[in-house]
């Protein structure tokens, strides 16, 4: 059955998948779902701005409603099991490459670079402190410095063979990972999430990932200068507070 509003939909369902491609209305679309207490999955881009992403997750916390957003690339089997790879040892760094088409109404990496950034965070985890970005018409190269001294990089490709992949650097060896394996792993995670109410990606990691991407935009605006994530996050939190 097709209905003509989210409010009517909420009368008929137990859970919601927000699949609209444009991230800008996601805060407005997610708000009634969260207030109705329905578990919610938001497809990429999770929001049209860092402030909106913060506002969505803050509202979910306020109403104690499980919400998560993720790229399918995060759940590729080799990335999910990377810590168990005997050839790798302890992860000391990671370089990711992925498609990175741009869309003028979204921060640059939010639109398609998010897939590669999710791959990077799947391997590196949270704790990035500083980001710098080199931008050309065909390529973006973003380097992040984690608080423990590790370096993670994202190469966004707009010309040539724009495939997904990663090299994970460890104390024992270097291991390739990150091939695209389709939507099935993500769909399985969504189904489990709806059954358990436990998001497979924490709000803290999602917010840091969005902060990483917004900091990359700020670095671009500053000609590639390093940008601290904490300052970018603070400004966005102030903006998000005004959206209540």
């Amino acid at each position: 059955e097709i209905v003509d509003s989210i409010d009517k939909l909420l009368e008929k369902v137990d859970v919601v998948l927000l699949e609209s491609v444009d991230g800008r209305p996601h805060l407005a679309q997610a708000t009634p779902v969260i207030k109705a207490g329905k578990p919610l999955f938001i497809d990429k881009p999770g929001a049209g701005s860092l402030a909106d992403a913060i506002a969505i997750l803050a509202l979910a916390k306020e109403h104690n409603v499980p919400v998560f957003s993720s790229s399918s690339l995060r759940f590729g089997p080799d990335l999910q099991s990377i810590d168990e790879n005997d050839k790798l040892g302890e992860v000391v760094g990671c370089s990711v490459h992925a498609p990175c088409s741009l869309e003028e109404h979204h921060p640059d990496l939010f639109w398609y670079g998010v897939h590669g950034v999710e791959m990077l965070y799947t391997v590196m985890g949270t704790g990035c402190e500083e980001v710098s970005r080199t931008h050309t018409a065909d390529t973006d190269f973003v380097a992040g410095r984690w608080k423990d001294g590790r370096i993670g990089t994202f190469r966004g490709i707009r010309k040539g063979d724009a495939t997904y992949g990663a090299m994970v650097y460890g104390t024992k060896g270097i291991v390739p990972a990150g091939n695209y394996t389709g939507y099935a792993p993500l769909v399985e995670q969504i189904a489990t999430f709806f059954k358990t109410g436990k998001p497979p990606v924490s709000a803290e990691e999602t917010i840091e990932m969005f902060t990483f991407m917004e900091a990359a935009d700020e670095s671009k605006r500053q000609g590639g200068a390093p940008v601290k994530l904490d300052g970018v996050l603070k400004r966005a939190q102030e903006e998000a507070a005004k959206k209540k």
Side-chain angles (χ1 to χ4, degrees), residues 95-178:
S95 60
V96 170
H97 62 266
C100 191
S101 58
L102 307 179
E103 202 283 329
E104 63 177 336
H105 301 106
H106 291 71
D108 286 353
L109 301 189
F110 281 41
W111 183 249
Y112 225 80
V114 62
H115 293 301
V117 175
E118 289 243 19
M119 293 166 63
L120 182 63
Y121 265 83
T122 302
V123 174
M124 296 289 288
T126 58
C128 184
E129 291 187 323
E130 184 178 85
V131 165
S132 59
R133 173 180 173 191
T134 300
H135 171 80
T136 69
D138 298 330
T139 308
D140 274 300
F141 187 80
V142 184
R145 178 178 58 79
W146 266 247
K147 61 184 178 182
D148 56 9
R150 294 180 301 154
I151 300 294
T153 64
F154 165 67
R155 183 181 185 89
I157 305 169
R158 287 184 289 276
K159 183 178 181 180
D161 187 11
T163 55
Y164 296 98
M167 295 300 292
V168 184
Y169 306 100
T171 52
K172 293 182 180 180
I174 300 173
V175 177

Side-chain angles (χ1 to χ4, degrees), residues 63-86:
H63 290 270
N64 196 30
V65 175
V67 173
F68 92 100
S69 176
S70 179
S71 160
S72 58
L73 273 298
R74 172 183 287 274
F75 296 109
D78 55 357
L79 283 182
Q80 286 294 308
S81 62
I82 197 68
D83 290 338
E84 303 167 8
N85 192 311
D86 293 336

Side-chain angles (χ1 to χ4, degrees), residues 22 64 98 158 166 220 222:
D22 190 339
N64 196 30
R158 287 184 289 276
K220 175 187 172 183
Q222 295 184 23

Side-chain angles (χ1 to χ4, degrees), residues 13-76:
V13 301
D14 298 311
V15 300
V16 173
L17 292 90
L18 180 49
E19 297 291 331
S20 49
V21 176
D22 190 339
R24 291 174 294 174
H26 280 181
L27 174 57
Q29 292 167 340
T31 295
V33 178
I34 293 169
K35 289 184 175 180
K38 308 289 186 179
L40 173 65
F41 168 75
I42 307 175
D43 210 342
K44 80 90 194 166
S49 68
L50 171 58
D52 278 8
I54 292 170
I56 289 170
L57 292 170
L59 186 67
K61 183 177 181 179
E62 178 184 345
H63 290 270
N64 196 30
V65 175
V67 173
F68 92 100
S69 176
S70 179
S71 160
S72 58
L73 273 298
R74 172 183 287 274
F75 296 109

